[in-house]
Amino acid sequence: MSMILPGSTIGIIGGGQLARMMILEGRKMGYHFVIVDPAQDCASHDIANDQIVASWSSLNAALQLAKVCDVITVDTEHVAWQSIQAIEDQVPAYPSSIVLKNVQDRLSQRDFLQKLDIAQTPYVNVESIDELRNAIDQVGLPCVLKTRTSGYDGKGQAVIKDKDDIHVAWDKIGRVPAIVEGFVDFQDEVSVLVARTRVNSQVRIATYPLAKNIHRKHILHKTVVPAGYPENIEKNCFQFAHKIVDAFDYIGIMAIEMFVTKQGEVLVNEIAPRTHNSGHFTYGGCVTSQFEQQIRAITGQSLGATTLIEPVVMVNLLGDLWKEDINFQTLMQTPGVTLHLYDKHPAKPGRKMGHFLVQGQDIEALSAKADDLYNQLT
Ligand SMILES: Nc1ncnc2c1ncn2[C@@H]1O[C@H](COP(=O)(O)OP(=O)(O)O)[C@@H](O)[C@H]1O
Ligand SMILES: [Mg+2]
């Protein structure tokens, strides 16, 4: 890949908070940004140099973007791979259409992982209620039904505990092609963020410390780093992550969500070919943030150090908290705490509005401090 020099323009499909933070980091390196987002007032609108107001998957928008950009990336994997394929010979795009095609359909993603011999929960493709019934015989109960495409933050999912729940679950996901997965009674959820690029045709890989993630209602609530796992489990997680990025000949940041079972087995849950919510701790918590790293990777620069500066806890702030007047005063007056807000309007339940970091020495104490600060906001 050739180097994309400062002064060049980076296109981002999707103008949410991930794009916003990529722009904040990329601007300091002298890059310009054009975003594609259907919402005129998306989180990046006032800091991007230009915006094409169109759907993320619009072919026209992709063609327009290709004309004005030197490299293209995304802040969501829900971009039609066909639109990226149509412009790839004009402008480099990371992730590539092949990566998007394999990742945005949960079935092809799981098939891809299976071919690589990566441990995961059993899964079966289902396209009708009869197939769902048969699939349950294979994966057992409880299990999780997930739409093959367009799911995020637990949307398009239903847990089936009992055979009587089948109809409700099938209706809940909208009776569309889906996969059914064995329910994993995990000890923890963890994620690995890994960056991969080529500098003068040499592959470079940089891996961030393992992060432990706590979800509420299927949405990330809190990330704790260090995750506190023994070296052998960490090594297992990193090996899976490296195998995946190498298999794709990947360029950019990838986040890989994993379950650690009560027996200490590591199972890959899903992969995201982009910067990720569970990597927000790196923005202030590591020498190089995931957002700066993404810009470095896609412009052919050397990768930055992924070293953790000190233990850190990240807590998400969802729109639910805004229902009454939200008061950030205590948070902002507490030493070691950094508030990030995405300037999104309006606040809605489940909408990611911001996050805060708590940094210090003792991870147990930090985690308790983070909970305490969060509870004061509710
Ligand atoms: N097979 C499973 N077993 C147990 N919990 C699951 C399973 N699949 C998903 N979950 C829970 O639901 C959350 C969201 O599911 P995920 O597959 O990551 O989809 P998405 O993040 O795209 O909505 C996970 O982080 C996990 O907490
Ligand atoms: Mg997930």
Side-chain angles (χ1 to χ4, degrees), residues 215 257 269-270 276:
H215 290 77
E257 296 179 17
N269 175 37
E270 67 167 350
H276 195 257

Short mmCIF file of all heavy atoms in Angstrom, two decimals, residues 215 257 269-270 276, ligand 2:
data_model
loop_
_atom_site.label_atom_id
_atom_site.label_comp_id
_atom_site.label_asym_id
_atom_site.label_seq_id
_atom_site.Cartn_x
_atom_site.Cartn_y
_atom_site.Cartn_z
N HIS A 215 -21.75 -6.00 30.04
CA HIS A 215 -22.90 -5.51 29.27
C HIS A 215 -24.12 -5.39 30.16
O HIS A 215 -24.28 -6.14 31.12
CB HIS A 215 -23.22 -6.48 28.12
CG HIS A 215 -22.17 -6.48 27.05
ND1 HIS A 215 -20.96 -7.12 27.19
CD2 HIS A 215 -22.15 -5.91 25.82
CE1 HIS A 215 -20.24 -6.94 26.09
NE2 HIS A 215 -20.93 -6.21 25.25
N GLU A 257 -14.71 -9.69 19.78
CA GLU A 257 -15.38 -9.96 21.06
C GLU A 257 -15.31 -11.45 21.34
O GLU A 257 -15.56 -12.26 20.44
CB GLU A 257 -16.85 -9.55 20.98
CG GLU A 257 -17.08 -8.08 20.76
CD GLU A 257 -18.57 -7.74 20.65
OE1 GLU A 257 -19.44 -8.54 21.06
OE2 GLU A 257 -18.87 -6.65 20.14
N ASN A 269 -16.98 -14.53 19.88
CA ASN A 269 -18.40 -14.20 19.71
C ASN A 269 -18.65 -13.46 18.41
O ASN A 269 -19.43 -13.90 17.58
CB ASN A 269 -18.91 -13.38 20.89
CG ASN A 269 -20.35 -12.92 20.70
OD1 ASN A 269 -21.16 -13.67 20.14
ND2 ASN A 269 -20.67 -11.71 21.08
N GLU A 270 -17.99 -12.33 18.21
CA GLU A 270 -18.17 -11.65 16.93
C GLU A 270 -17.01 -10.72 16.66
O GLU A 270 -16.27 -10.34 17.56
CB GLU A 270 -19.51 -10.89 16.87
CG GLU A 270 -19.63 -9.72 17.79
CD GLU A 270 -20.85 -8.85 17.43
OE1 GLU A 270 -21.47 -9.02 16.37
OE2 GLU A 270 -21.13 -7.95 18.24
N HIS A 276 -14.00 0.40 17.97
CA HIS A 276 -15.06 -0.28 18.71
C HIS A 276 -15.28 0.36 20.07
O HIS A 276 -14.34 0.85 20.69
CB HIS A 276 -14.64 -1.75 18.89
CG HIS A 276 -15.72 -2.67 19.31
ND1 HIS A 276 -15.83 -3.13 20.61
CD2 HIS A 276 -16.72 -3.25 18.61
CE1 HIS A 276 -16.86 -3.95 20.68
NE2 HIS A 276 -17.42 -4.05 19.49
MG MG B 2 -21.33 -7.50 20.16
#
